[in-house]
Structures are given as C-alpha cells and as structure tokens.
C-alpha cells in the first residue's frame, strides 16, 4: 500500500541563548537557556545555525503539491480518539519544540524560542516566542499551553493521556512562560526516578487556542477548520473525498532558521480513493505529484508508461537509517484462542514466507525479525552488555532459550522445510490442547480453531489469503474480511478483532510510547496501540525503563531487551519491510540533495 509523504512533526527555529540565573544548568549546556535539548547529550546544531542540513535554503515558493491517497476521513481534529482525521492536519498545528530529523531525538524551539531543563529533568520551562501568532493574528500565550495540557489530559489520545498524567505541576509565571514539573517513579529498578523523556514530550505537545475552543467541545469530531498557528490552514473540505490546505500569508515563523527552505508549496491537495490501484492510476495520469510506494509489485510493474519512459515521472530509491515499522499479522491475545504462546508460535510456522517474498514482492522486501527493523535497536545474536544487564533481573520469568538461543524466524527450505515447520507447529498445538480430528483442529470440547483476519486495505488481501490457505493443512479455518477504513479503525479502537494486519512504528529514540504500544495499562485502554493485548510485567518494566536511560548505550541496550522479549512472546507473525524509501514524483517536483536520517521529507520539496 502506498502511504502519503506527510510531516513526521513540524520543524523549528533556534535563537541565541540567554543567561541563566546562577546555579542553573540545562541538559549539559552551560551559560544560558538552551536553544534546544536532546534526549542524550547535547543537540548537534549550534545556536547560530541558519538552516537545517537537509533543506535547500534557496528553494522557490509557490505552486501546488497534490497527492492521490487511499481511505477516507470524517474529522479535522487529529488529537482525540474519535473519528478518522484528514491527512495533513499536522500542518495546521504547532508544538513548543520540534525535531531535527537528522538526529535520533533532538528538539529545538518553535512556539517556544528558549527552554531550560532542570539538571535532574524534574522540570522544564518554556519561553514562548513573542512573535508566535494564531492564524487570526492573536498571540500564542501561556494560557493556551495550559489549556492544551488540560483538554488533552481529559480527551486526548490514550498515549497523550498516559504521558501528560506525569505532570504534577503546570504554572505560568508570566504570559510568555510556562513551567511543568514531573513526578518521580519509585526507584526500585532501572525504570525508577524521573522520566528523562518528559521535558521532550512536553515540547512536542500540540498547542491549541483557548479562545477558539471556548464554547466548543474539544472531545467531538468536527469538520469545521480548527484555528492553528502552523504554516498551512484548511482551504477546502469535501468530507471523505478531498482536502486542500493553503499556505498562511504572513505566517509568523516563515523566517526561522528551521523553517527556511520548507513549506514551499502554496497549496497542498489530498484526493482520496477507495482503491490504491486507482490512486496509482490517478498519479500516473498527472492527478498527483508525488507518491510513496510501499507495494513492491506496483513498484516493479505498475509505473510503466509514456511518462516514465520519457522522464516526466522520476522513480528513486532513497536509503534511510530509521527503524522501519514492525508490520505483521497481529494476534489479539484478549481472545482465548490466542492466549497461549505455543499457539501463536505455531501460527508463524505455517506459511512459506520465502515464497511470498519472491512471488508477491519481487524479492524487494526484507523479512522482519525485530520490532525495530533496519536499525541499531534491533536485538541480534545473544544478549550481552547493556541488554543482558536489562534482562538479568527477569531471568526467572523469561523463557530459558531467550538467553541461550538467538531468535530466528522459521527457516524456509522449500516444500520439505515447510513440511518440517508444520510438523513442529502441530506438535506445539497438541501441547496446547488442540488435536486434528477429521481434518479439523479442535479443542477437547470439539470447538474448531477458527478466526477472522480483519483488513482495511484490499492490497493486503494477497498476503492474508495466502496465510489463511497455509493454515488449512493444520486444520485451522481463517477467514479474511476487508472493511472500510472508518469501520476498521473503530473496530481496532474497541479491540474487536481476532487478528489484523497492522504495524508498530518507532523512532531512533523510543520512549514512553512503548508503554502505549505494549504496556498492560494500554491493553485495557480503547484506542491504544496495544493491539495484541500484551499484559506482561516484564514488558512493562523494560518499556518503562527506556525513557529513564541516562545514556545512548543504556537506551539501545534496553530497547534491544524489550525487542527480544516481544519476539519470544510471538505476538505477531512478522511480515516484511523495505530498507529504502521508494518514491515516485513528477519531474516538476524537486527535492534537496541531502536526505535526512529519517528519510525524505516533502516539507523540504518545491515545485518549478
């Protein structure tokens, strides 16, 4: 399935640091209030930089960038659980700080031009840029920030409610300053103490206008354009079919060093299609300017035509160094059918994924064997160093093989190898209480092993149907059902599915969101990303410890430990990922020569 090129987060500005009161320090930066902060160490960019390293400062402004995308939408409000927000809403809103996508996790000022962090990270203070304005021309103030915290604590997405619950005090010393203090977890392990990630997470909190929301219900979906402070605003909406954004005249942040060379198009248009093959044809017909292709079959055979042959369409494979999404067939362990790890492991042995990779994906994808594939965060070999130190306290609660055998996916080996894998799968199923009787896998009460695989994208049906067919020799009946995107999201939010094809995405600096993905508390929160329903105290402790890591080496070791425990839990049947970004664009659309660590960013592209 192709996905749109959207901003990961909006990028920002740096201003010169100011003096600190005596005795204060911020994140290792001496002599002043910081121009930015990093999760570990200091930010890479100096206070006097003039542009991000991956932009063209001389990029011309103007024109329109169009994208043909799949799905639908019913809301312009991306910061609540309800509804399916339109693509591109992130261009409307801003945060106090924003990321440089050429560093694992460093933030620099956006709405806030200066930041100071307590030496132990127990508090953070943001100084709002006096130039920051809402689209109606009114200033962004500390009251807006405090309002944003309160409404997102009450009505925000589950991950934000989880993060912001750690704020113990929020004050506004003056209209342009806001300070947050954080609670410390009990220091009974590596996850105890102050959560070192919280100052950065508060910097990434979306800021809303208190005045705009007066008399409106923040918790409800809406198709009314919401007042923002970002570089674009909504210009036109055709619900579920089309949305258009226009660049804000006189946008307050246009001259900031981390805005230079970005947000160059005057208009952004997203046209929605129900079928991705139709969206591809629309792109080839010139109804879209850029397309991110994640379907290798389409990349290999779907772009041929006059526009490609004469150079009007340009295809590029751009390497990146970020973790790719961990995509797989995720089992809902809330269902008794998938509660036993032996059952989940057996399901992963049934299909010939070597054949699927060659036949369906033209050999262009790599089989995923990590929750952080394509990165240094992936567990490999046997645990050692910081990873082993993170795992050691839980040795008696983990499978012994986790410490003595590298995790490997079932080997291929053609028909003979597949038959051997299925024999092993039947053995595991029998150990879990299942038997094949008259060609049907049943439990002791005679109930058949049968379940549904829920999808939203018809392009995913090929893999799901092949997987379902591979289960038939085990006596398992798997039915594939594809529903529209709104129904799909609603069922995921309620955890109303047996198995689904989905993914978890992480950055190079994972943190609190790992509890939102895999934590026990999130397993019971509707709308969370713990789709598998994981409830494991070891996973909770490891996920919680990541944000408390004091060094990069500690973080990498703890993430690898979490990765290994999740892999041995067999919560998903891993599928595939791409080691490169495959992007097609019409030749009138240009990009900078440098691609950042996290991959191409359309915010830096321009139209000629």
């Amino acid at each position: 399935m192709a996905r749109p090129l959207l901003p990961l987060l909006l990028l920002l500005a740096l201003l010169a640091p100011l003096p600190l009161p005596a005795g204060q320090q911020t994140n290792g930066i001496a002599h002043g209030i910081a121009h930015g902060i990093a999760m570990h160490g200091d930010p890479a960019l100096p206070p006097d930089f003039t542009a991000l390293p991956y932009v063209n400062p001389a990029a011309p402004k103007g024109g329109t960038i169009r994208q043909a995308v799949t799905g639908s939408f019913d809301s312009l409000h991306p910061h609540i659980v309800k509804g399916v927000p339109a693509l591109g809403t992130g261009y409307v809103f801003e945060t106090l700080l924003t990321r440089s996508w050429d560093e694992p996790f460093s933030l620099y000022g956006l709405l806030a031009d200066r930041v100071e962090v307590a030496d132990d990270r127990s508090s953070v203070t943001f100084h709002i840029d006096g130039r920051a304005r809402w689209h109606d021309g009114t200033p962004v103030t500390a009251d807006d920030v405090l309002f944003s915290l309160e409404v997102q604590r009450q009505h925000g997405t589950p991950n934000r409610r989880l993060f912001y619950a750690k704020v113990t005090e929020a004050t506004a010393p003056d209209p342009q300053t806001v300070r947050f203090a954080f609670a410390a977890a009990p220091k009974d392990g590596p996850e105890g103490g102050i959560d070192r990630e919280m100052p950065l997470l508060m910097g990434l909190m979306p800021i809303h206008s208190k005045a705009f929301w007066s008399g409106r219900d923040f918790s409800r979906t809406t198709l009314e354009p919401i007042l923002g402070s970002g570089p674009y605003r909504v210009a036109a909406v055709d619900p579920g079919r089309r949305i258009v954004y226009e660049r804000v005249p006189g946008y307050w942040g246009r001259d900031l060093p981390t805005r230079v060379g970005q947000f160059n198009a005057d208009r952004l248009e997203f046209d929605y299609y129900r079928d991705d093959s139709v969206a591809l044809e629309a792109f080839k017909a010139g109804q879209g300017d850029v397309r991110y292709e994640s379907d290798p079959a389409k990349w290999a055979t779907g772009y041929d035509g006059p526009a490609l042959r004469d150079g009007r369409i340009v295809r590029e494979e751009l390497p990146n160094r970020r973790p790719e999404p961990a995509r797989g067939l995720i089992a809902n362990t809330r269902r008794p059918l998938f509660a036993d790890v032996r059952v989940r492991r057996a399901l992963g042995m049934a299909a010939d994924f070597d054949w699927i990779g060659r036949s369906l994906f033209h050999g262009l994808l790599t089989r995923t064997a990590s929750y952080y594939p394509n990165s240094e965060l992936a567990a490999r070999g046997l645990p050692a160093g910081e990873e082993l130190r993170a795992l050691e306290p839980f040795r008696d609660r983990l499978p012994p093989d986790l410490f003595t055998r590298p995790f490997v996916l079932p080997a291929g080996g053609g028909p003979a190898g597949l038959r051997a894998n299925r024999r092993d799968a039947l053995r595991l199923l029998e150990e879990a209480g299942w038997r094949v009787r008259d060609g049907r896998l049943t439990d002791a009460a005679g109930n058949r092993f049968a379940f549904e695989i829920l999808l939203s994208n018809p392009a995913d049906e090929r893999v799901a149907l092949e997987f379902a067919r591979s289960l038939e020799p085990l006596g398992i009946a798997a039915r594939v059902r594809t529903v529209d995107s709104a129904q799909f999201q609603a069922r995921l939010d309620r955890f109303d599915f047996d198995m689904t094809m989905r993914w978890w995405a992480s950055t190079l600096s994972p943190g609190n969101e790992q509890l939102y993905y895999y934590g026990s508390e999130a397993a019971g929160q509707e709308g969370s990303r713990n789709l598998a329903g994981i409830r494991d105290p070891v996973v909770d402790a490891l996920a919680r410890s990541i944000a408390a890591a004091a060094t990069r080496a500690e973080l990498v070791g703890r993430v690898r430990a979490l990765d290994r425990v999740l892999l041995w839990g067999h919560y998903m049947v891993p599928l595939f990922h791409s080691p490169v970004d495959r992007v097609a664009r019409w030749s009138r659309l240009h990009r900078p020569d440098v691609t950042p660590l996290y991959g191409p960013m359309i915010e830096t592209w321009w139209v000629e």
Side-chain angles (χ1 to χ4, degrees):
M1 176 183 74
R3 63 177 173 87
L5 286 168
L6 291 174
L8 301 175
L9 288 169
L10 299 176
L11 296 175
L12 82 146
L14 291 172
L15 296 180
L18 300 179
L20 270 180
Q24 292 189 20
Q25 297 178 354
T26 63
N27 195 30
I29 301 175
H31 312 306
I33 295 174
H35 68 292
I37 56 176
M39 185 63 192
H40 300 105
D42 295 338
L45 298 175
D48 60 351
F49 86 100
T50 58
L52 292 165
Y54 48 86
V55 307
N56 172 14
K61 303 292 185 184
T64 298
I65 296 179
R66 301 163 300 164
Q67 294 188 60
V69 300
T70 55
S72 183
F73 69 92
D74 59 11
S75 178
L76 302 181
H77 193 350
H79 301 137
I80 57 174
V81 173
K82 297 176 183 176
V84 178
L87 295 170
T89 52
Y91 292 113
V92 175
F93 304 98
E94 292 185 313
T95 50
L96 292 165
L97 306 179
T98 191
R99 298 181 73 145
S100 165
W101 292 106
D102 214 31
E103 302 173 53
F105 195 8
S106 292
L107 305 183
Y108 304 91
L110 181 53
L111 289 173
D113 57 6
R114 296 166 290 138
V115 58
E116 49 190 311
V117 183
D119 199 41
D120 63 356
R121 298 212 174 191
S122 61
S123 68
V124 61
T125 301
F126 299 99
H127 300 268
I128 298 172
D129 192 320
R131 297 168 293 179
R133 291 290 186 274
W134 299 107
H135 293 159
D136 63 2
T138 58
V140 178
T141 69
D143 277 349
D144 295 317
V145 178
L146 296 180
F147 165 78
S148 300
L149 173 64
E150 185 59 30
V151 292
Q152 289 179 90
R153 272 176 157 176
Q154 295 180 38
H155 308 298
T157 54
N159 60 328
R160 292 193 173 96
R161 294 202 300 267
L162 180 71
F163 304 157
Y164 304 152
K166 297 183 181 183
V167 178
T168 58
E169 184 182 22
T171 58
D174 62 60
Q176 297 301 116
T177 306
V178 63
R179 178 182 182 275
F180 301 109
F182 313 115
K187 275 207 168 185
D188 56 355
E191 72 276 12
I194 294 292
D195 184 338
R196 292 178 52 82
E197 194 181 29
M198 282 306 298
L200 290 89
L201 294 179
M202 299 312 298
L204 294 177
M205 179 175 68
I207 306 304
H208 284 265
S209 166
K210 180 178 179 179
F212 174 84
W213 285 105
S214 178
R216 294 178 171 91
D217 186 349
F218 190 89
S219 68
R220 297 178 64 86
T221 61
T222 181
L223 288 169
E224 175 190 8
I226 300 173
L227 182 67
S229 64
Y232 291 96
R233 64 188 179 193
V234 175
V237 181
D238 184 355
R241 300 179 63 185
R242 188 170 188 261
I243 185 164
V244 179
Y245 301 89
E246 63 182 3
R247 192 147 51 85
V248 176
Y251 164 54
W252 77 271
R254 62 189 179 278
D255 296 325
L256 295 173
T258 49
R259 292 308 201 201
V260 169
Q262 297 188 76
F263 312 111
N264 301 311
D266 285 341
R267 289 168 64 88
L268 306 174
E269 300 180 0
F270 296 88
D271 290 306
Y272 281 77
Y273 296 84
R274 296 291 182 180
D275 183 87
D276 188 61
S277 295
V278 178
L280 172 58
E281 293 305 315
F283 167 77
K284 291 164 58 179
Q287 297 172 29
D289 296 304
V290 59
R291 176 179 166 90
Y292 186 112
E293 185 58 76
S294 55
D295 185 334
K298 288 188 174 74
W299 186 256
T301 64
Y303 286 80
D304 190 31
L308 181 65
R309 290 193 291 270
D310 65 22
R312 285 176 293 151
I313 289 180
V314 179
R315 296 192 310 160
E316 298 178 296
E317 294 189 348
L318 303 174
N320 68 73
R321 292 167 285 165
R322 66 175 184 264
E324 284 299 303
R327 186 176 179 85
L329 290 154
I330 300 171
N332 185 357
T333 63
R334 301 171 187 84
R335 301 284 205 257
L337 198 64
F338 300 122
D340 193 313
V341 66
R342 294 169 295 187
V343 169
R344 301 194 300 271
R345 182 181 174 191
L347 295 179
M349 297 178 171
D352 186 347
F353 284 101
D354 288 348
W355 180 88
I356 290 175
R358 292 191 309 271
S359 301
L360 300 186
F361 301 129
H362 297 260
L364 295 175
L365 298 185
T366 300
R367 183 82 192 279
T368 297
S370 169
Y371 283 72
Y372 311 91
N374 195 50
S375 78
E376 66 171 338
L377 303 175
R380 51 180 61 86
L382 295 176
E386 292 289 351
E387 180 188 355
L388 183 57
R389 276 190 281 277
L391 290 169
E392 196 63 52
F394 312 108
R395 183 180 283 269
D396 61 342
R397 286 181 275 175
L398 293 169
D401 286 350
L402 181 147
F403 292 92
T404 60
R405 290 173 46 204
F407 179 88
V408 294
L409 297 171
L418 183 59
R419 286 193 296 271
N421 288 339
R422 286 174 175 168
R423 284 195 297 270
D424 289 341
L426 282 171
R427 175 181 54 79
L428 288 168
L429 291 167
E430 289 176 0
E431 290 176 4
W434 296 88
R435 297 288 186 277
V436 177
R437 300 177 178 89
D438 299 324
R440 298 157 61 97
L441 189 69
T442 61
D443 61 15
N447 299 308
R448 188 174 190 187
F449 197 121
F451 65 94
E452 178 183 87
I453 302 173
L454 182 69
L455 307 175
S456 69
N457 188 344
D460 292 333
E461 292 175 354
R462 297 175 302 162
V463 173
L465 288 169
E466 185 59 37
F467 177 70
R469 281 193 290 269
S470 72
L471 297 176
E472 293 173 0
L474 301 180
I476 295 173
R479 181 170 68 97
V480 176
R481 183 181 182 192
T482 303
V483 299
D484 65 69
S485 59
Q487 183 182 353
F488 179 74
Q489 189 60 53
R491 289 188 59 178
L492 289 191
D493 289 344
R494 300 193 306 269
F495 309 123
D496 180 20
F497 65 92
D498 300 327
M499 178 178 281
T500 188
M501 190 182 296
R502 207 63 173 157
W503 64 87
W504 288 286
S506 293
T507 70
L508 283 165
S509 185
N512 282 273
E513 79 284 348
Q514 303 302 296
L515 286 167
Y516 178 59
Y517 291 170
Y518 314 119
S520 298
E521 184 177 347
Q525 286 184 327
E526 288 195 4
S528 86
R529 290 300 305 275
N530 189 346
L531 299 176
I534 302 168
R535 294 180 183 270
D536 183 345
V538 175
V539 169
D540 293 343
L542 290 172
R544 194 175 298 113
S545 75
I546 292 170
T551 66
R552 179 70 185 173
E554 282 185 355
L555 180 137
V556 171
R558 293 175 186 185
V559 175
R560 288 178 178 176
L562 175 61
D563 187 29
R564 196 177 300 270
V565 172
L566 292 171
L567 288 169
W568 281 88
H570 296 280
Y571 297 106
M572 71 171 175
V573 178
L575 295 177
F576 301 87
H577 68 273
S578 174
V580 298
D581 289 304
R582 297 183 172 93
V583 183
R585 59 182 169 87
W586 283 80
S587 58
R588 60 180 172 268
L589 186 61
H590 296 262
R591 65 172 182 83
D593 294 333
V594 176
T595 299
L597 185 71
Y598 279 90
M601 298 184 63
I602 199 172
E603 298 92 327
T604 66
W605 296 20
W606 65 92
V607 179
E608 285 189 359

